């Protein structure tokens, strides 16, 4: 049985990854951090995870990316064959408010975990969730593994440090350390303060008469939006490759925030122009105009291709919000 450690198991990607690994019989260990509420909604609601916890195939361990000793202890105890490193402060706008914390978790946290692996399980495989944000305002389109990097926010700067560390540890120590350069990927499990989830949720709530307006920072930026479970499949392909390397995982398409709004509101029979309000509170000091990834290397070398079209992604997210509202509605 393969033993896998996931940091960020309570997040969007970590929960899909845990489900995927458990369905194939892996023993999964998840790093969780202390919080005042024990609720881990993305995991707790999954029957496969509850069953695996009861069988002892899914174990959660307290540790923190800011605490080296906890990471050393965890890796020494679990002795994983694979480590998926998905944890960190990953909100771009919040990284302007919490630059030091973002560097501590997303940047130095990766160093601490790589050291824990090097010192305790150097034969293990390591995956880093890197990001298209490292390209900043990209100098070419689409962006590939060879596109010049130029981070324009503290999150991207921290992720670039983490990606460079993966490359250093691969070269200097011969570790099987690799990275996915991930473009935006979304799902109903996305955090509520990311734009796609915010729009899907807003459209569903406005359609139900619970709210009248949706406040957004801007409608013009364009993103390469993929479906998170497709991206998670790609992560597994990267870690399962014959040799460690870095791969862009993206759809190759780009759509604006406005296009996402149009499709989401259309799905509930409304026109977004009647409800979306531009609000400077949600605008950023600097923002990337457009991302579009070239995942040709992942297709050629790993056989990975995204499968979920953009309109279907939007439809699924809106439907999930509507279903959640129906579940929450009090019985007559
Ligand atoms: P997410 O939903 O925000 O999840 C982040 C995870 O990190 C959560 O499990 C969170 O735990 C954990 N975490 C945060 N700080 C921590 C700390 N100090 N110690 C331990 N755990 C900590 O992120 P995601 O969307 O699943 O993304 C997964 C990874 O991919 C992230 O590293 C992100 O930067 C990267 N990425 C994501 C995208 C995307 O579009 N989703 C694109 C490019 C790269 P709590 O549940 O306790 O908060
Ligand atoms: O913003 C604009 C915003 O916060 C997308 C993270 O997973 O992907 C994600 O970062 C766009 C930006 O994601 C609002 O300015 C407009 O142009 O959903 P987002 P992101 O910043 O692209 C990358 C690849 C990561 O690595 C990150 O971890 O939408 N936007 N109005 C807004 N964004 C938010 N959040 N809220 C708004 O009201």
């Amino acid at each position: 049985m393969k033993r896998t450690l996931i940091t960020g198991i309570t997040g969007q990607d970590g929960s899909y990854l845990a489900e995927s690994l458990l369905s194939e019989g892996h023993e999964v260990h998840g790093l969780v951090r202390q919080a005042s509420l024990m609720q881990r909604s993305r995991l707790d609601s999954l029957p496969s995870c509850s069953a695996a916890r009861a069988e002892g195939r899914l174990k959660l361990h307290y540790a923190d990316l800011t605490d080296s000793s906890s990471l050393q202890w965890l890796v020494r105890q679990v002795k994983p064959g694979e480590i998926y490193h998905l944890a960190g402060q990953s909100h771009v706008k919040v990284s302007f408010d919490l630059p030091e914390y973002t560097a501590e978790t997303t940047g130095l946290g990766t160093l601490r975990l790589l050291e824990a692996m090097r010192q305790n399980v150097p034969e293990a495989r390591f995956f880093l969730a890197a990001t298209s944000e490292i390209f900043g305002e990209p100098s070419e389109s689409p962006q590939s593994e060879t596109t010049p990097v130029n981070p324009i926010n503290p999150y991207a700067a921290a992720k670039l440090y983490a990606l460079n560390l993966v490359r250093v540890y691969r070269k200097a120590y011969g570790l099987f350390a690799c990275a996915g350069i991930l473009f935006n990927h979304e799902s109903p499990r996305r955090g509520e303060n990311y734009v796609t989830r915010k729009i899907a949720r807003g459209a569903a709530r406005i359609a139900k008469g619970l709210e009248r307006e949706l406040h957004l920072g801007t409608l013009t930026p364009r993103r390469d939006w993929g479906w998170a479970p497709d991206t998670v499949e790609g992560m597994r392909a990267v870690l399962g490759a014959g040799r460690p390397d870095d791969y862009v995982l993206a759809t190759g398409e780009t759509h604006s925030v406005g296009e996402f709004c149009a499709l989401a509101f259309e799905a509930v029979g409304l026109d977004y122009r009647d409800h979306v309000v531009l609000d400077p509170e949600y605008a950023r000091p600097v923002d990337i105009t457009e991302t579009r990834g070239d995942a040709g290397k992942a297709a050629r070398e790993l056989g990975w291709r995204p499968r979920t079209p953009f309109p279907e992604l939007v439809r699924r997210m809106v439907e999930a919000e509507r279903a959640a509202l129906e579940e929450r509605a009090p019985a007559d």
Side-chain angles (χ1 to χ4, degrees), residues 6-16 31-35 37 39-42 63-67 70-71 85-91 101 104-106 109 112 127-133 155 159 180-187 189-191 193-194 224-226 228 231-232 235 249:
I6 305 176
T7 76
I9 194 168
T10 54
Q12 170 187 256
D13 295 358
S15 64
Y16 284 115
L31 181 163
V32 293
R33 54 184 176 160
Q34 163 61 7
L37 284 175
Q39 204 182 12
R40 295 167 186 134
S41 58
R42 294 188 182 96
D64 200 290
L65 292 175
T66 59
D67 182 338
S70 71
L71 297 175
H85 178 36
L86 312 182
Q89 195 305 95
S90 68
H91 198 287
Y101 178 72
E104 269 291 342
T105 57
T106 303
R112 296 180 182 113
F127 175 88
L128 169 73
T131 173
S132 55
E133 288 284 320
Y155 165 73
K159 278 286 187 189
I181 302 171
L182 313 178
F183 284 61
N184 299 51
H185 47 279
E186 317 296 315
S187 77
R189 297 186 200 168
R190 190 53 143 148
N193 57 351
Y194 294 85
D224 181 326
W225 274 303
T231 307
V232 165
M235 295 178 188
L249 299 178

Side-chain angles (χ1 to χ4, degrees), residues 15-293:
S15 64
Y16 284 115
L17 179 62
E19 266 183 308
S20 167
L21 294 167
L22 288 168
S23 73
E24 290 176 20
H26 286 231
E27 180 182 309
V28 175
H29 294 257
L31 181 163
V32 293
R33 54 184 176 160
Q34 163 61 7
S36 66
L37 284 175
M38 286 287 286
Q39 204 182 12
R40 295 167 186 134
S41 58
R42 294 188 182 96
L43 288 181
D44 293 345
S45 58
L46 301 174
S48 60
C49 287
S50 311
R53 283 192 82 178
E55 292 161 11
R57 281 198 304 121
L58 171 60
K59 293 186 184 130
L60 302 180
H61 309 267
Y62 282 113
D64 200 290
L65 292 175
T66 59
D67 182 338
S68 295
S69 60
S70 71
L71 297 175
Q72 286 280 350
W73 180 88
L74 179 58
V75 172
R76 217 168 28 243
Q77 292 302 307
V78 172
K79 294 198 172 43
E82 295 180 336
I83 300 174
Y84 286 91
H85 178 36
L86 312 182
Q89 195 305 95
S90 68
H91 198 287
V92 170
K93 184 161 190 296
V94 171
S95 79
F96 285 102
D97 302 327
L98 301 175
E100 192 176 328
Y101 178 72
T102 303
E104 269 291 342
T105 57
T106 303
L108 278 175
T110 304
L111 174 65
R112 296 180 182 113
L113 191 61
L114 278 166
E115 265 304 301
M117 170 167 145
R118 184 180 76 84
Q119 291 179 32
N120 299 289
V121 284
E123 69 292 351
R125 292 183 170 213
F126 184 97
F127 175 88
L128 169 73
T131 173
S132 55
E133 288 284 320
I134 59 171
F135 302 123
E137 194 62 50
S139 57
E140 61 186 17
S141 184
Q143 296 87 54
S144 72
E145 295 78 4
T146 57
T147 299
V149 293
N150 181 26
I152 60 167
N153 58 65
Y155 165 73
K159 278 286 187 189
L160 180 57
Y161 173 66
L163 175 60
N164 282 334
L165 284 172
V166 162
R167 292 172 174 168
V168 167
Y169 275 61
R170 185 162 71 214
K171 196 165 168 58
Y173 301 117
L175 297 189
F176 197 109
C178 40
I181 302 171
L182 313 178
F183 284 61
N184 299 51
H185 47 279
E186 317 296 315
S187 77
R189 297 186 200 168
R190 190 53 143 148
E192 287 175 5
N193 57 351
Y194 294 85
V195 80
T196 57
R197 179 83 193 279
K198 191 172 163 182
I199 297 167
R201 192 164 181 270
R205 291 178 69 80
I206 289 169
K208 203 171 163 62
L210 297 172
E211 279 160 24
R212 293 185 56 78
E213 292 180 344
L214 172 63
H215 287 230
L216 296 176
T218 162
L219 296 176
T220 50
R222 303 175 68 84
R223 290 289 182 273
D224 181 326
W225 274 303
W227 178 240
D230 290 349
T231 307
V232 165
E233 266 181 28
M235 295 178 188
R236 293 198 56 189
V238 171
L239 208 65
R243 62 184 179 84
D245 205 348
D246 308 325
Y247 294 87
V248 161
L249 299 178
T251 70
E253 283 184 29
T254 186
H255 299 276
S256 69
V257 174
E259 279 173 74
F260 198 105
C261 287
L263 284 175
F265 279 79
E266 196 181 296
V268 296
L270 295 173
D271 186 333
Y272 78 97
R273 289 168 296 190
D274 299 331
H275 301 281
V276 169
V277 176
L278 292 183
D279 184 339
E281 188 186 334
Y282 300 106
R284 297 173 183 188
V286 284
D287 204 358
I288 296 171
T289 315
E290 176 179 298
T291 65
R292 186 161 76 88

